[in-house]
Every structure is written in C-alpha cells, then in structure tokens.
C-alpha cells in the first residue's frame, strides 16, 4: 500500500521512547504536568498536542496523522514497530474523543488498544477470524476496519452497534453481546475450516471475567480434545468486565516474566518439539511419551507461572503472561504462533489494564466501564438529573427493607453488582450477598440449594441473561417447586444496548412453567409491593420483571417496606366504556397516556393493571370482557406472553364466542436494533399514540387515528 513512503516519525511520542510512561504515549498527559497548567509539545513534523488547562487530558482532540491513513487493516501491513506504537497512541485518543460524544463502553476498549493493533497487523482479516468476547471492547477494532467515519453514530438509531455484529461488517465474524461464547464459536470455525480444507487462522479474544463462565471451560475442554488449530487470547485485566463490585486492580506480569521469557514460550523449536513428542506415542508407546510430556510441562511451568498447568490439563498450549501493552512482544509472539505449522489450540495469556491511557479511567474503581457523554479534559460525565431513581435502585432499596426484617433473605447476582443494584445490598449485608461470577446457570441452581435449606434467595439477573440459565430454572427450581425469587431487570426494550440485551422473552419463557408466579409492576411503588410479595411466597418459585430507566414519580411505601399483594389480583385504574386496555407491567403507563390522548376525542377508556400474568385475575378479565366491546392487552414483551395467556383463558371460558373484539399489542416478531428508547417504542408500535390510534381504528374512527399519529 506504499504507506512506508510517508515520513511518519512517531511525532507525538518523540523523546519518550524507552520509558513506560503510560505506554510511552505522546498523546497522554504526563503525571508531572500540574493541573491547570497548559503544556504544549511540538514534534519534528510540526504537529502540536496541547493538554487541557482544566484537567489531566486534552480538551481538543490531538492530530492523528497516521490513523488518518488507515482505513482497513491492510493499510497497516508496512508499518514499522515505531509507527505501530504511534498508531496505538492515536487510536486511543480517537476512542476517547468518540466515546465522549456518544457514551458507551470506554474502559474495556482502552485496555485492548495495543492488542487490537497487534492482531490486525499480524493476521489477515477478514480471512483470518478474530472473535471478541462480549464485544464491548471492539471499538478500536471497528475504527481499524472501515467504520471510523461512523463512530459518531455508535449505539444510536441506525448507527453502529456497541458490540460486534455480523451484518455490520465482514470483519465482525461473530456477533456478541453476551459473555463467554467466543471459544465455542471459534472452535466451530476452526473445525469448519478444517472440514473445508482451508488454512486461515482463528483467534478468540476472551476476558478473565468471561472465564468465570462454565461455557468457556466446556469449549476449552473440547478444543483440547479436537486439537484443531486455534488461538485463544486471555485478556486478563483483573476485572470482571461489567459494572460489578470493586475487584482487585490490574497487576503487572507475574514475577520476573520479561520479554525474553515470553518470546521463549512461543519460539518455534519448542512448539515443534512438542509435536514430535506427541508422535512418539505411536512408535514407542505411552510411558516414554508421558515422561517427555511431563518434562516439557514442568519446564514451561517454571517459566510461565501458576497458570500453565491448568490450561495444559485442558489441552491448550499455554504462553505467557505477556504484557498486553507492549507492541514489540505482542507482535513477536503472535507472529511466532501464526507461523508455527503445528496442530492444536494455543492460549496466550495477556495482561492488560482496563482504562489504559486515560487518567480518569485508570483511577476509577470500575475503570470507566460504561460511560455517558463526558468531558475528555476533566473526565466529568454529563449525567442527566432526574426527579426519580432507577427501577434498579428501587429494587435494591425494597430488598434491603425486606432483609432488615427477615434474616433468611439473601441476594445473588452473576458479576453484576452494579448493574442489578445489589452492590447497595452488599454494603448493608456483606455476608448475605453472593457474586457467583458470570455464571447464570450456577447462580440459579445455587439459589435452589439455598432454598432447600430454608433460605430465601432473590436471584437478580437481567431478563436477557436469565435465558442462559433456562434449564436450571425449569429443572432445578420450577419442577421441584422451590421458592427461588427471580428479579428480572432490563425487561423490555433497553435502548442503546440493542437486541442482545433486550428483555423481550422473559414473560413467555417464565409464564409457561406450571409452578411459577409471574408478575410485573406498573410503577416503582408496585415494585416495592412485589418484592414484598415475592418474599412472602414460600411454597413455589416466583419472578417479577422491571425495565431499564427511572420511576414515574409515584409515592413510595413508608420506610421502603412494601405490602404483599394478593396473588393473582389485578386492579382497575380508570373506569371507562366500550374499550378496555389491560396492561401488563410498565406498559400500563402507556395505556394511561393513551387514555389521556383520547379524552379530547370523546373516547373514555377503561384502563386496568393486570399485575400478574400467572396466575391471571380471571374475575377481572371476565368483568372487562363482558362490559366492553373491545379488549386490548398491552405489554412490552414478545409474542406468546401475557396477551397469549389472556387469550387462552378467554377462549376456554367462552368469552370470545360473542361480539367481543380482542387485540394484542406486543413487541413485533423481529429483533429491534439499538437506538433511543423513543425510537424503539415507535418501531415496536407501543407508544401511547400507537395504542390510542389502535383504539380509534377498531372503533372505525380513522380520521382521529391519523390526527393522533401526526
């Protein structure tokens, strides 16, 4: 690509070579630079980079002369190591300034800048497959693979996804969003490649947090058995890469593990010698081969530290630990592993620092995992103030109130202390809150075991993440009628996180279980009451769903202590005529708003809050069906959920045999892409205007429907 003809001189890092000052980045402010004092650096090619007078980072985006020439990975191939380091520096600042304008996952992306550069320099994507576990660290990857100009649209309607997405780019070979899937998918790709007679490389990048999930070990075990060529990169930043409770910070490579030792790990003779040892078994039998293997394992164990033996037992050849911010080491090791034509999976253990190179992220306990829009110079996030708290916080406060009066109540989460609000619970009850890691299957069966001993477990898991543990919900909890309580956060549409995190299916998959009590609050006060209801249910499992976002401003119960609701009893909120809206969960708020829209048109609706999907309030449904011409069920969930249960009951009860018109309003039977909440509601057809227009159309008032929608 003739890039080597350009006079790139590593201008912004001039004079910093040979140091480890924030990876030698010339784009990053030196710790000795006093706050409120402006520093200006001038390089040999005249590029200036100024620090902010207001903080520890630049207020204006520094020049990126080298990154400006890189549209795709092929443009990197002729770069020198010095230029790769400059590229990493420029890429880091590009990520920071882009995310400062959109919000998103910052810390995880900053931690893999050098690793991303090294991977795209060494491997030939998209022919070589690079899989990013979870995918929230893929922003640098997106910038280097033809999407830099679209970064301002990140996580916005019709913009770039916050995760890897196959339909977005050929360089995204596997879609992600949930944890611990890439070794499995990468192994499938490697075996598929072998079956097709191809020779491309497969690289799965997975974090140490994702390694807490059983699927990662199942995949490594199978990879060791199948012995197909693939590379697993363990991105170890000593943090579960989620908004969880504080964990140990990042550490330097173990002991005196230097570049030389890491290079020794990956050199070709040692790798190929191992292959020779494998073949010995066929010629002289097992004992001699076992002895040779033990010597090899022991020798490398002394070099590699404590991790090697464990991965070797699973059948992966272990290399590392490697400094994940040292481009010399990364490119040398990746080149060695790529060029070694031997069989079997390799695991490269890379030590990185989440939030690397951005002072505010490095200092923060969560390493700026997920951020709103922010000021790069000061790190201050522009969080909008709201008169109410999030449903997540209300749930935590309600659970704390219940636990104050019941010592048997405990809380469980899967590496999501911050996301579920249970870090608040843990602060109050440190011995009664359990973080099981990214292990939803284990979390559910662990809760089942606690229930067997008379403990009252609340298992707080996002709606979309509970999908990962469905067999455990069915077999270990519901079948045995164990009183585990499931708090399903992020129910319904979730905005910028998109379809991977959308809680569309929980009502459908929970309400079909024979023993499960299924409920949903219409507002924050109802959430407090449903937490109390779940605590009181001690003869069967129960669940309740609540959305991302803030409450509506309803007065809360005194002392945050909810009052248990009679099981299977809904309520009528507005008495009207002709048309009844039966809402489930926070969709009730949209029903109330729709009723307000129709009043000026002379249409008075009945609005009812079902509260329960299972058991249904049969008396309420009968009353609504017999006293109205039209019954519309409204929910922010998939086909097969609340509306289907209502229809099943009405059909069996004969309520559909007469003149009643029934219409279900649910999420459409497709995945709704990321975007603003209102855009998603519009696409789903679940806004108050859509509900009101549906009423008008059923009543033959097409003109009013058009007026409302306009």
């Amino acid at each position: 690509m003739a890039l080597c003809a350009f006079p790139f001189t590593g201008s912004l890092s001039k004079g910093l070579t040979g140091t480890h000052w924030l990876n030698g980045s010339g784009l990053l402010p030196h710790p000795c630079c006093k706050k409120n004092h402006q520093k200006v650096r001038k390089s040999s090619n005249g590029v200036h980079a100024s620090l902010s007078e207001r903080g520890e980072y630049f207020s204006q985006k520094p020049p990126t002369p080298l990154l400006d020439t890189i549209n795709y990975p092929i443009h990197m191939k002729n770069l020198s190591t010095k230029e790769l380091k400059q590229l990493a520096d420029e890429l880091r600042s590009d990520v920071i300034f882009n995310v400062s304008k959109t919000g998103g996952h910052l810390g995880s992306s900053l931690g893999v800048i050098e690793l991303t550069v090294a991977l795209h320099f060494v491997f030939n994507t998209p022919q070589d497959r690079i899989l990013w576990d979870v995918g929230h660290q893929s922003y640098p990857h997106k910038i280097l693979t033809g999407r830099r100009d679209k970064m301002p649209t990140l996580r916005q309607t019709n913009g770039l996804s916050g995760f890897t997405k196959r339909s977005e780019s050929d360089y995204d070979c596997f879609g992600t969003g949930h944890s611990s899937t890439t070794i499995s998918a990468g192994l499938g790709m490697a075996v598929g490649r072998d079956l097709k007679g191809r020779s491309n490389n497969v690289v799965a990048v997975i974090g140490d947090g994702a390694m807490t999930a059983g699927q990662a070990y199942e995949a490594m075990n199978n990879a060791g058995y199948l012995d197909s060529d693939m590379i697993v990169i363990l991105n170890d930043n000593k943090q579960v890469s989620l908004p969880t409770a504080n964990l140990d910070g990042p550490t330097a490579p173990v002991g005196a593990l230097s570049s030389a030792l890491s290079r020794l790990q990956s050199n070709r003779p040692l790798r190929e010698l191992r292959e020779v040892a494998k073949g010995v078994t066929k010629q002289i039998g097992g004992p001699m081969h076992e002895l040779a293997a033990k010597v090899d394992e022991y020798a490398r164990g002394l070099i590699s530290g404590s991790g090697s033996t464990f991965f070797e037992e699973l059948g992966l050849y272990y290399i590392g630990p490697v400094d994940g911010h040292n481009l010399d080491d990364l490119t040398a090791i990746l080149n060695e592993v790529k060029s070694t034509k031997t069989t079997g999976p390799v695991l490269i253990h890379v030590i990185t620092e989440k939030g690397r190179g951005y002072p505010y992220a490095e200092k923060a306990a969560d390493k700026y995992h997920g951020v709103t829009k922010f000021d790069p110079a000061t790190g201050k996030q522009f969080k909008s103030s709201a008169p109410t708290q999030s449903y997540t916080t209300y749930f935590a406060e309600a659970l704390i109130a219940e636990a104050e009066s019941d010592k048997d109540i405990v809380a469980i989460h899967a590496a999501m202390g911050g996301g579920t609000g249970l870090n608040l619970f843990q602060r109050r009850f440190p011995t009664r809150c359990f973080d099981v890691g990214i292990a939803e299957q284990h979390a559910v069966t662990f809760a089942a075991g606690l229930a067997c001993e008379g403990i009252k477990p609340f298992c707080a898991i996002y709606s979309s993440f509970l999908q990962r543990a469905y067999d455990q919900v069915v077999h270990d909890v519901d079948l045995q009628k164990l009183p585990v309580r499931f708090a399903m956060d992020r129910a319904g549409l979730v905005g910028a996180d998109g379809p991977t995190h959308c809680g569309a299916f929980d009502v459908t998959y929970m309400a079909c279980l024979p023993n499960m009590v299924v409920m949903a609050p219409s507002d924050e006060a109802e959430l407090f009451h449903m937490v109390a209801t779940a605590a009181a249910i001690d003869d069967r499992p129960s669940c309740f769903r609540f959305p991302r976002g803030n409450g509506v401003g309803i007065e809360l119960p005194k002392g945050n202590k909810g009052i248990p609701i009679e099981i299977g009893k809904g309520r009528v909120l507005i008495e009207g005529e002709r048309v009844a809206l039966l809402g489930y969960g926070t969709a009730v708020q949209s029903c109330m708003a729709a009723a307000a829209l129709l009043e000026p048109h002379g249409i008075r609706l009945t609005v009812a809050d079902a509260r329960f999907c299972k058991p249904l309030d049969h008396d309420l449904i009968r009353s609504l069906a017999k006293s109205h011409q039209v019954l519309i069920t409204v929910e922010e969930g998939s086909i097969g959920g609340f509306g289907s249960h209502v229809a099943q009951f009405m059909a069996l009860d004969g309520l559909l045999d007469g003149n009643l018109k029934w219409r279900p309003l649910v999420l459409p039977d497709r995945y709704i892409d990321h975007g603003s909440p209102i855009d998603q509601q519009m696409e789903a057809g679940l806004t108050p205007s859509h509900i009101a227009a549906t009423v008008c159309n059923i009543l033959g008032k097409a003109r009013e429907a058009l007026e409302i929608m306009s």
Side-chain angles (χ1 to χ4, degrees):
M1 300 302 295
L3 284 180
C4 57
F6 287 86
F8 299 124
T9 57
S11 57
L12 294 176
S13 56
K14 185 176 178 67
L16 298 173
T17 56
T19 72
H20 290 284
W21 169 55
L22 292 179
N23 195 36
S25 170
L27 292 179
L28 303 176
H30 196 289
C32 71
C33 297
K34 293 182 179 178
K35 196 173 182 180
N36 300 324
H37 182 68
Q38 188 165 349
K39 297 283 185 180
V40 179
R41 298 194 193 92
K42 184 173 182 180
S43 68
S44 58
N45 66 357
V47 174
H48 291 73
S50 300
L51 293 184
S52 168
E53 296 181 353
R54 298 177 291 114
E56 299 181 41
Y57 199 73
F58 303 107
S59 58
Q60 298 296 320
K61 182 180 173 184
T64 54
L66 185 51
L67 181 59
D68 293 345
T69 69
I70 307 297
N71 294 319
Y72 291 96
I74 195 171
H75 301 148
M76 300 167 55
K77 300 305 180 182
N78 291 331
L79 297 183
S80 66
T81 302
K82 183 179 180 181
E83 288 167 338
L84 289 176
K85 292 176 182 177
Q86 179 185 337
L87 178 62
D89 293 341
E90 295 179 10
L91 182 59
R92 179 168 276 110
S93 72
D94 207 60
V95 168
I96 291 169
F97 276 88
N98 272 305
V99 178
S100 75
K101 294 179 176 64
T102 64
H105 292 101
L106 180 63
S108 51
S109 289
L110 295 180
V112 297
I113 294 289
E114 287 80 12
L115 179 59
T116 305
V117 169
L119 285 169
H120 281 298
F121 175 71
V122 171
F123 294 99
N124 299 312
T125 54
Q127 291 77 23
D128 288 337
R129 315 296 197 205
I130 299 177
L131 299 85
W132 299 93
D133 206 88
V134 181
H136 61 326
Q137 78 285 59
S138 64
Y139 299 176
H141 161 78
K142 288 175 184 274
I143 291 171
L144 294 177
T145 54
R147 287 169 277 180
R148 188 186 183 197
D149 62 328
K150 296 179 182 177
M151 287 299 289
T153 71
L154 185 70
R155 291 161 52 88
Q156 297 173 37
T157 304
N158 298 321
L160 292 180
S161 169
F163 308 101
T164 53
K165 187 175 182 181
R166 279 173 57 85
S167 61
E168 185 177 287
S169 171
D170 289 340
Y171 290 88
D172 291 358
C173 62
F174 196 74
T176 50
H178 291 197
S179 166
S180 317
T181 61
T182 51
I183 304 178
S184 297
L187 179 59
M189 291 179 184
V191 172
R193 170 204 63 203
D194 296 343
L195 292 173
K196 291 282 191 178
R198 298 169 183 155
S199 59
N200 58 288
N201 296 281
V202 176
V203 183
V205 182
I206 183 169
D208 54 325
M211 280 289 197
T212 61
Q215 184 176 353
Y217 295 95
E218 294 169 14
M220 285 191 290
N221 182 56
N222 194 216
Y225 173 76
L226 293 175
D227 216 31
S228 286
D229 282 353
M230 71 174 294
I231 300 167
V232 176
I233 295 180
L234 172 55
N235 174 33
D236 183 358
N237 58 27
K238 295 297 184 290
Q239 271 215 342
V240 177
S241 296
L242 295 164
T244 183
N246 296 347
L247 302 175
D248 294 336
T251 60
V254 178
L257 290 167
S258 63
S259 305
L261 293 179
S262 292
R263 288 173 196 270
L264 175 61
Q265 288 294 331
S266 66
N267 75 23
R268 186 176 300 122
L270 188 57
R271 275 287 277 144
E272 293 178 348
L273 187 62
R274 179 177 181 239
E275 293 309 308
V276 172
K278 279 185 177 181
V280 168
T281 305
K282 298 177 182 178
Q283 300 177 39
I284 60 175
M288 182 64 73
H289 171 58
E290 290 172 13
L291 175 61
K294 286 294 182 186
V295 170
D296 173 53
E297 180 182 289
Y298 178 70
R300 290 186 310 99
L302 293 178
I303 296 170
S304 301
S306 59
S308 60
T309 300
F310 175 75
F311 291 111
E312 281 293 312
E313 289 296 330
L314 290 173
L316 281 79
Y317 192 85
Y318 176 91
I319 298 171
V322 179
D323 183 349
H325 302 293
N326 187 316
L327 271 165
D328 297 276
D329 286 357
L330 287 172
T331 54
I333 289 167
L334 291 173
N335 270 314
E336 284 286 353
V337 173
K338 176 186 175 184
S339 61
T340 301
K341 303 302 179 184
T342 51
T343 304
V346 176
L347 185 139
I348 304 174
H349 184 183
V350 174
I351 304 294
T352 62
E353 180 183 5
K354 191 172 180 180
R356 175 81 169 199
Y358 187 54
Y360 305 104
E362 292 179 341
K363 295 174 187 174
D366 69 348
K367 302 296 179 184
Y368 273 39
H369 170 81
V371 295
T372 59
K373 296 178 183 179
F374 64 95
D375 177 8
T378 64
K380 182 180 180 181
Q381 297 186 50
F382 306 129
K383 296 183 178 179
S384 58
S385 58
T388 60
Q389 298 185 89
S390 68
Y391 277 96
T392 300
T393 300
Y394 288 130
F395 158 67
E397 292 177 348
L399 189 58
I400 289 169
E402 294 299 322
E404 293 282 6
S405 59
D406 190 340
K407 61 179 174 38
D408 287 333
I409 288 177
V410 301
I412 302 162
H413 66 89
M416 294 294 291
T420 61
L422 290 185
N423 52 357
L424 302 175
F425 186 92
Q426 184 173 33
R427 188 180 304 160
R428 177 67 185 86
F429 302 107
T431 63
R432 293 161 63 183
C433 187
F434 302 93
D435 178 354
V436 303
I438 306 177
E440 291 84 1
Q441 291 177 303
H442 166 61
V444 171
T445 306
F446 173 62
L450 287 166
C452 288
E453 298 302 314
I455 302 298
K456 297 181 178 180
F458 277 76
C459 198
I461 300 177
Y462 286 8
S463 166
S464 62
F465 294 169
L466 191 58
Q467 296 162 184
R468 296 157 62 95
Y470 190 57
D471 180 63
Q472 285 68 30
V473 172
V474 176
H475 181 270
D476 298 339
V477 175
D478 194 73
L479 179 62
Q480 302 187 84
K481 211 175 181 180
L482 291 171
V484 174
R485 296 111 180 132
F486 295 100
M488 300 179 297
D489 200 341
R490 285 4 182 229
L493 298 166
V494 293
D497 282 336
T500 60
H501 289 59
C502 176
F505 309 114
D506 56 270
V507 180
T508 301
Y509 68 65
M510 295 300 262
C512 66
L513 302 178
N515 294 320
M516 188 72 65
V517 174
V518 183
M519 47 190 164
S522 57
D523 56 50
E524 59 268 39
E526 285 285 291
L527 176 57
F528 280 84
H529 298 320
M530 288 187 182
V531 171
T533 304
I537 297 173
D538 212 25
D539 61 345
R540 53 191 147 160
S542 58
C543 67
F544 51 94
R545 73 185 324 238
F546 51 96
R548 182 177 190 171
N550 289 10
V552 298
I554 299 293
E555 183 179 355
L556 301 178
K558 187 176 180 180
N560 290 338
K561 190 75 168 64
I563 300 170
I565 302 167
E566 182 181 353
I567 303 299
K569 285 298 176 183
R571 57 178 181 160
V572 175
L573 301 176
I574 300 176
E575 292 275 8
E577 56 191 20
R578 296 184 69 189
V579 179
L581 301 179
L582 179 56
Y584 183 66
T586 51
V588 171
Q589 299 301 323
S590 297
C591 294
M592 298 284 284
L597 286 175
L598 288 171
E599 268 199 56
H601 296 275
I603 302 173
R604 295 187 64 250
L605 301 180
T606 295
V607 178
D609 176 6
R611 282 177 163 167
F612 293 86
C613 179
K614 192 167 194 174
L616 289 170
D617 187 338
H618 292 171
D619 292 338
L620 174 63
I621 295 170
R622 284 194 191 101
S623 173
L624 295 175
K626 291 178 179 179
S627 59
H628 295 80
Q629 300 170 18
V630 179
L631 176 61
I632 301 174
T633 55
V634 187
E635 62 187 301
E636 200 169 297
S638 69
I639 293 170
F642 170 70
S644 296
H645 283 260
V646 172
Q648 171 86 357
F649 164 70
M650 291 196 299
L652 293 176
D653 208 55
L655 297 172
L656 297 178
D657 295 349
N659 296 320
L660 177 70
K661 295 178 180 179
W662 168 70
R663 298 290 187 274
L665 292 182
V666 299
L667 290 176
D669 194 20
R670 65 178 184 275
Y671 294 102
I672 294 179
D673 276 338
H674 58 279
S676 69
I678 186 59
D679 286 344
Q680 289 189 324
Q681 289 277 345
M682 289 286 289
E683 184 176 342
L686 290 176
T687 66
S689 296
H690 283 93
I691 297 170
T694 299
V695 172
C696 290
N697 283 325
I698 294 174
L699 296 178
K701 298 177 179 289
R703 175 174 293 181
E704 288 86 344
L706 286 172
E707 287 178 7
I708 289 170
M709 288 307 297
S710 63

